[in-house]
């Protein structure tokens, strides 16, 4: 049986110069709306004492967690972990735009595209991976700060980079049930332990059973697959109505 792949990123923070070419490449490749981005570069500022000063920039996007809390709260099954690649993806046809997954992500790695009524985030450029290409952000990175590959392949660029790294940090996060997110982004050769990039407590979790997490799947299941379009429309109205009520 073929070995399961585990795609993810290695970010060499000592090489990022904050040029933000990756943001532009990502938006162009994935036709991300002008108001949004799937990817960020955090400026951790200057640290140390003169003359030993250092400034660290941290490229940042979805961690493609091994144990993603976003998939656990998704009421329509739109958010899932791809069995073949290990990437965490969103089926935007099935997404009802409720935004629970946005609140469940401890890394702020998702956003709700209000114009399209769906959630969006980094997909690891799976459309490029399927034709043997690297993600747009990786090929565009002039400093070679961003690497992408299969952590289960010891010869992959990411595995080799981890083997040779001076230092490795992973922004793992313990969830309420005691399990860990186990992110598939590793930061190497620098210190990213800064409040700006630390994971935060999710504001929505499965433990918080509310009428929403019970009613919405019941509506989808009850109406049946042939009426999924209408069900999705109905639940979007339901969620929008609730948001207006809360505002
Ligand atoms: S970083 Fe957030 S959006 Fe990405 S897989 Fe983890 S929980 Fe889901
Ligand atoms: S892998 Fe693709 S979708 Fe993810 S940040 Fe890079 S360019 Fe954007």
């Amino acid at each position: 049986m073929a070995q399961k792949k585990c795609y993810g990123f290695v970010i060499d923070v000592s090489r990022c110069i904050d040029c933000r070419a990756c943001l532009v490449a990502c938006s162009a490749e994935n036709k991300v709306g002008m108001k949004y981005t799937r990817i960020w570069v955090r400026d951790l500022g200057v640290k140390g004492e003169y003359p030993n000063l250092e400034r660290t920039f941290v490229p940042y996007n979805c961690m493609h967690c091994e144990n993603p809390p976003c998939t656990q709260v998704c009421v329509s099954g739109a958010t899932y972990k791809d069995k073949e690649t290990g990437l965490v993806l969103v089926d935007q046809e099935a997404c009802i735009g409720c935004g629970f997954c946005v609140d469940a992500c401890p890394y702020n790695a998702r956003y709700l595209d209000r114009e399209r009524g769906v959630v969006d985030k980094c997909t690891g450029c799976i459309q490029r991976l399927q034709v043997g290409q690297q993600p747009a952000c990786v090929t565009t990175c002039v400093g070679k700060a961003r690497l992408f590959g299969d952590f289960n392949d010891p010869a992959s660029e990411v595995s080799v980079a981890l083997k040779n790294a001076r230092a490795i940090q992973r922004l793992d996060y313990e969830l309420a049930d005691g399990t860990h997110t186990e992110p598939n982004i590793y930061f190497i050769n620098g210190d990213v332990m800064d409040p700006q990039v630390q994971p935060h407590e999710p504001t929505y979790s499965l433990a918080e059973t509310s009428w929403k997490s019970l009613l919405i799947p019941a509506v989808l299941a009850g109406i049946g697959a042939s009426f999924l379009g209408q069900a999705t429309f109905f639940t979007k109205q339901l969620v929008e109505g609730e948001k207006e009520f809360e505002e």
Side-chain angles (χ1 to χ4, degrees), residues 92 95-98 112-119 236 240:
Q92 292 185 330
C95 177
I96 61 168
C98 65
L112 182 60
D113 183 330
R114 291 195 176 268
E115 285 72 34
R116 294 193 298 140
V118 292
V119 160
K236 274 182 175 156
E240 281 306 313

Side-chain angles (χ1 to χ4, degrees), residues 27-48:
S27 290
E29 167 68 29
N30 297 296
K31 301 178 180 59
V32 177
M34 287 300 280
K35 282 161 61 179
Y36 304 105
T37 179
R38 291 182 174 188
I39 177 175
W40 301 266
V41 180
R42 308 269 196 238
D43 179 356
L44 302 193
V46 179
K47 288 185 183 153

